[in-house]
Amino acid sequence: MSSENGPDNGGAEAAPPEQLALIRESVRKAKEPRAKPRTWRGAALAAARPVARVLVDKGVLHLDRYFDYAVPAELDADAQPGVRVRVRFGAGRHRVREGRREGGGLIDGFLIERRDESDYSGPLAALAQVVSPEPVLSEELLGLARAVADRYAGSLADVLQLAVPPRSARAERQPSPPPLPPPPVPDAGPWARYEHGAPFIASLAAGGAPRAVWNTLPGPLWSEELARAVAATLASGRGALVVVPDGRAAARVDAALTSLLGEGRHALLTADAGPEQRYRQWLSVSRGSVRAVVGTRAAMFAPVRDLGLVALWDDGDDSHSEQHAPQPHAREVLLLRAALDKCGFLLGGWSCTVEAAQLVESGWARPLVAAREQVRRAAPLVRTVGDADLARDEAARAARLPSLAWQAAREGLRHGPVLVQVPRRGYVPRMACAQCRAPARCRHCAGPLQGHDAGLLRCGWCGREESAWHCPECGSFRLRAQVVGARRTAEELGRAWSLSALLALLMASRGRATSMSFRRRGVTL
């Protein structure tokens, strides 16, 4: 009984008391029935195009098709083509209530299109949820993903897992900056070193779609040349995409583009940026704020608008091959994009792979190379030790470095540092008996004995030191090095160069005082 029906209300004692249960029942009758979220039982459908065609996130091939769902009126505004949705999948015909199918587990998917009618004659389940109103799957990206799935015999859902990055709600709430106007047309710069380099840049700036296989000249200018190709494409009002094998190469191209065009004109898509930052950069490309993209393997699906150029650096690198199903290669994906979007194509590297040579041989692409004289001026001089050199220097057969290598190193030190590369690390990783050449093994685990800087012997497997080794075959106590490592090579080179410097100084001075000073320092010449 309510307080208004108490004895203090004069004249109300004779009124019949109202019960709370009757009040609640009257409220229930007055309210309209509300649909339950994610099942939308009893909810009204959208007035226009009430059928949504959805691609469910199921990687199995027999489910690689679209499924129709009903669009509730409350989701009509957000349920647009390209958005992420959640649907109930797996409900049978026996789970139908009020003319709609219910049940099944919630799975993710993409809304492909809205339709007036469905090809399915049975009852439709309703969309459970619109995850985000951000349209992340455009028609161009959907067509590319379908082409890649057909080429590699995979499912469309698997390709979209590679093409569309995971969602970050914080990144979606932040607006992207407005797009910048096209930059001015750059000059050819280092592209003038190639026979058709300047016409290639001019064609990109004029809106053309040239296709070339580019054999790069030795040197650090390849990143600047890629940046100028991207700048020429942006000057024509179109977009550009550059795919490189690793983050180090992406950082070099990123620095070259920043130096040439400034900040805010390109996006860097690499795994080093983190999920949120990478998704924010991806959204700026999808929304049209940025027209140029530089990234690693996953950037081959970047949704660049009005694509004018796709470029791939070093297609022979194994990093361009995707390890997950359906395992597309970045070169093949960019070839599909060049064919679908009718844009320019640039395949560059230090050498020409078999696939690149096939593109030139078939006439699909033209070679972009430098003249022979330019290659000889840019390439380093390579000299090898042949039989004639060994005949003039018999000691070179047993020496660590032949005389020709010493002369090349001595000439190189006049201009800068010299690199000596050896195949093994460590000091002496393999040792053997000096008399019978039997390999030196550990007495405990039979592992190989290794020499160290302090003259110690230690097993390479168990790490135990060996102080009293003798050969079990011949009984000798002497050892010799089978394989010399990087530290021993550096020590020998240091001794040799210091001795050479002392000899040169002694021969130049030819004085007694200089030789006496060497003797006092303990150097024997």
Side-chain angles (χ1 to χ4, degrees), residues 426-502:
Y427 193 74
V428 182
R430 293 291 184 273
M431 304 193 73
C433 177
Q435 184 172 348
C436 65
R437 304 298 192 267
R441 296 287 180 179
C442 177
R443 292 181 295 175
H444 301 278
C445 65
L449 291 181
Q450 299 178 354
H452 294 271
D453 302 353
L456 299 177
L457 289 179
R458 185 172 295 171
C459 178
W461 290 356
C462 64
R464 296 183 181 180
E465 294 185 3
E466 180 65 54
S467 58
W469 178 89
H470 68 278
C471 180
E473 302 292 337
C474 64
S476 175
F477 290 89
R478 298 180 57 189
L479 287 168
R480 68 184 302 270
Q482 277 188 325
V483 177
V484 178
R487 292 205 308 269
R488 176 63 181 272
T489 304
E491 180 181 333
E492 292 182 358
L493 290 177
R495 292 176 180 176
W497 285 118
S498 61
L499 181 59
S500 300
L502 291 176

Side-chain angles (χ1 to χ4, degrees), residues 214 220-228 249 252-253 256-257:
W214 170 36
L221 296 179
W222 64 270
S223 57
E224 181 183 352
E225 291 164 351
L226 278 176
R228 290 185 179 273
R252 293 191 61 175
V253 180
L257 277 172

Side-chain angles (χ1 to χ4, degrees), residues 52-102:
R53 183 151 288 183
V54 177
L55 173 69
V56 297
D57 192 6
K58 289 286 187 179
V60 290
L61 291 177
H62 67 278
L63 296 178
D64 190 17
R65 58 190 182 91
Y66 302 144
F67 295 88
D68 291 345
Y69 286 84
V71 181
E74 296 187 25
L75 300 180
D76 187 17
D78 295 337
Q80 299 301 321
V83 301
R84 291 184 171 98
V85 295
R86 300 197 75 189
V87 295
R88 293 193 175 274
F89 190 79
R93 286 180 175 270
H94 61 282
R95 306 182 68 175
V96 178
R97 184 172 179 176
E98 298 180 2
R100 297 181 188 176
R101 183 174 297 183
E102 295 183 355

